[in-house]
Amino acid sequence: MPANTATRSRRLKPITIELLIIVLLLGATCYWLLFIRATNSGLTFENKLLIPEQLFGTVVDGRRQFHLTVAEGSREFLPGKQTPTAGVNGPFLGPTLRLRRGEDVDLIVQNNLDEITTMHWHGMHVPARMDGTPHQKIEPGVSWTASFPVDQQAAPLWYHPHPHGSTGRQVYRGVAGLMWINDDNSDTLSLPKTYGVDDIPVVIQDRLFDDDGAFRFARNQGAVFGNTMLINGTWNPFLQVESRRIRFRLLNGSNARIYYIGFDDNRKFHQIATDGGFLETPLQTNRVILAPGERAEILVDFSDGAEVVLKSYPEAGFLRTITSFFRGIGTGNLQLLKIVPRPTNRASHALPERLNTISRIDPSLAAKTRPMVLAGPRQGGR
Ligand SMILES: [Cu+2]
């Protein structure tokens, strides 16, 4: 080896090692920031999860009637700060409507806001004029009635305003609620069905707060992301359950954020339903992906008695996670709800082998075949 090369490599060596250490440390820090640390880390899970009240309506002349009043309100989400809100029959969110297949319903919506609203039954099979889209405006101080027969299988649906140009803002303020359909099949299934005890509604919403406690509906390319999580309108929430199988009916009620839902111990659970109703058989998994408006039902076994946190993982893909981080909208690594199991003598529900029979459409019976191309960078925000 020539003398001068040997000298150079001896001189470079310590610098190379230092560089290597710096690069490794930087890499580890980035990895921690992007994939380990939750955007809303530091939660203490001190607030009992709020459970929306249920509304069964009253039967008048053979029709089940529900009264929904949309109005402004105020709620303390963050300690010591009042947030101006809007809600249905209350200051934030609305009651869970319990519907049954085969019944005729009247949903009477009173608009006490000082602006136009509508009420859309997301996932309901209804005639267009009952759908509460921008065409069915409800002027301030006026009421509107949606009447239709409930004719679809058991499913976890939701309702929210849908006025042109202000849907996002009105839902962000709190106007939204769940509507769950039962049918003969769901009656027969041996599943947890005690509302708020082993059958838990979970409305997942991200929010931005101003210093004075007001919601900040800041448009960011049409989509609004927040780094403070509200579950059923509860900040920093925990839920005590019996240490057995518990059913969660999840709704992503956020403006634009997609969640990669799982538990912080990565435990497996079973998905039993999607937006449209029950799957044919329970699906074992450790993640459920929910885009805005989407629902899922999961069964989770807590018989080990261990406390776990329901969370969202940063799994949007490496590049998107990095971009989100630098856009200041968080990586999607978010703590949602701490589950605290308590010992119980009550037996756990067995996992049903079969949940539903789904008839499939035979493609060979198609009268005409039309190719459709779905494209677009992003959706949601309005
Ligand atoms: Cu919708």
Side-chain angles (χ1 to χ4, degrees), residues 2-3 46 65 74 117 119 133 147 172 196 267 271 275 291-292 379:
E46 282 165 16
Q65 296 194 335
S74 167
T117 191
M119 199 56 80
T133 55
S147 302
Y172 201 86
R267 69 177 53 203
Q271 182 173 1
D275 309 76
Q379 201 238 333

Side-chain angles (χ1 to χ4, degrees), residues 120-123 158-162 167 292-293 295:
H120 170 61
W121 323 105
H122 186 128
W158 69 302
Y159 57 94
H160 63 83
H162 209 313
T167 295
R295 290 86 61 204

